[in-house]
Amino acid sequence: LTSIRAEESVVGDSFPLLRSENGGNLGSKPWTRLTELDLRHNQLTSIHQTIRSAINLTKLILSHNLLKSLHPSLRHCESLVHVELQHNNLWNPTEVSVFLPNVTSLDISNNQFVSVWELAALKNLLSLDVGFNKLGHWSDLSHLSESCLSIRNVTFRGNPMCEPTRIFGGDVNKLGCSVFRSQTEILVNGVARVMDDKQSQSLLMKYAH
């Protein structure tokens, strides 16, 4: 067994690896051969410590659940590089950076984060989606661009810092995907504008506060 998908499943006692709001459990023994685990849409409220057994896990999908925090046992999943945590109630970026140190692709959109500068500790990060949180400061993204030298894609649409402003003489009502190491695309009056690395860095510094 190397892959498990239990989307919208009835959580029972046969797999107490994770726990759900209704008291059910997932997982009863170590899953050392498991490489992918997909448990989206399961009303999970916590992660059980036995996930530490999944030492070869590379992909973890826990989106669309009720998680408010991550479990320290995730640190034992040293092979974990792809993590999807969107549509939960997570708020602590330090947990993410400490418990998922080797992640390269991270989606924490649609949560409750007010800051993400702590994610600068994720030195292997290539792709990050922090859209639709409560981020209010451009300085967080500037810090990420300076510290995460491998990062290529950052999506931050839907945050308070993306409220309408004036850039290039136009009203910007949606900031899309920022590619720090090559080019940045934003929407100005509904028209995509592409900037090179120097322009994108200038933009971040201009609006960092």
Side-chain angles (χ1 to χ4, degrees):
L1 180 67
T2 60
S3 179
I4 293 177
R5 181 171 183 176
E7 183 178 350
E8 296 183 353
S9 298
V10 176
V11 181
D13 295 331
S14 61
F15 186 33
L17 187 65
L18 302 171
R19 291 180 175 173
S20 73
E21 188 175 46
N22 62 13
N25 293 321
L26 299 175
S28 59
K29 64 179 181 180
W31 292 94
T32 56
R33 298 178 61 184
L34 190 66
T35 59
E36 296 186 9
L37 179 61
D38 185 346
L39 290 167
R40 71 187 86 183
H41 293 286
N42 272 293
Q43 298 187 357
L44 298 170
T45 59
S46 63
I47 303 173
H48 194 263
Q49 63 181 357
T50 50
I51 199 171
R52 70 175 61 208
S53 300
I55 57 175
N56 291 309
L57 191 67
T58 61
K59 184 175 183 178
L60 177 63
I61 302 177
L62 293 172
S63 59
H64 296 272
N65 281 295
L66 303 172
L67 299 174
K68 293 182 178 180
S69 63
L70 301 178
H71 198 282
S73 293
L74 284 169
R75 285 182 292 187
H76 295 274
C77 303
E78 296 183 356
S79 299
L80 193 56
V81 293
H82 181 99
V83 180
E84 297 182 24
L85 296 167
Q86 64 269 34
H87 292 278
N88 278 285
N89 295 308
L90 299 169
W91 60 273
N92 189 346
T94 300
E95 286 187 346
V96 178
S97 62
V98 173
F99 301 159
L100 302 170
N102 300 318
V103 68
T104 61
S105 177
L106 177 64
D107 190 340
I108 54 173
S109 61
N110 291 276
N111 276 283
Q112 302 297 318
F113 293 99
V114 298
S115 172
V116 292
W117 67 266
E118 294 89 342
L119 301 185
L122 301 175
K123 301 303 182 182
N124 298 323
L125 197 60
L126 298 174
S127 178
L128 173 66
D129 192 335
V130 294
F132 297 96
N133 277 283
K134 298 180 179 180
L135 306 180
H137 301 288
W138 281 86
S139 56
D140 281 21
L141 297 179
S142 180
H143 190 52
L144 285 173
S145 71
E146 294 171 357
S147 301
C148 300
L149 299 182
S150 297
I151 201 167
R152 291 294 182 274
N153 297 285
V154 179
T155 301
F156 44 88
R157 64 187 181 279
N159 282 286
M161 66 182 184
C162 297
E163 293 177 354
T165 186
R166 301 286 295 184
I167 301 177
F168 300 132
D171 292 322
V172 176
N173 52 30
K174 181 181 180 183
L175 295 177
C177 183
S178 176
V179 188
F180 288 120
R181 301 303 162 195
S182 57
Q183 61 187 25
T184 301
E185 180 177 295
I186 67 173
L187 296 182
V188 181
N189 290 335
V191 178
R193 289 288 300 267
V194 177
M195 298 178 290
D196 60 25
D197 184 60
K198 183 177 180 180
Q199 289 174 316
S200 64
Q201 292 292 335
S202 176
L203 176 66
L204 286 173
M205 292 303 297
K206 180 178 180 180
Y207 289 94
H209 56 274

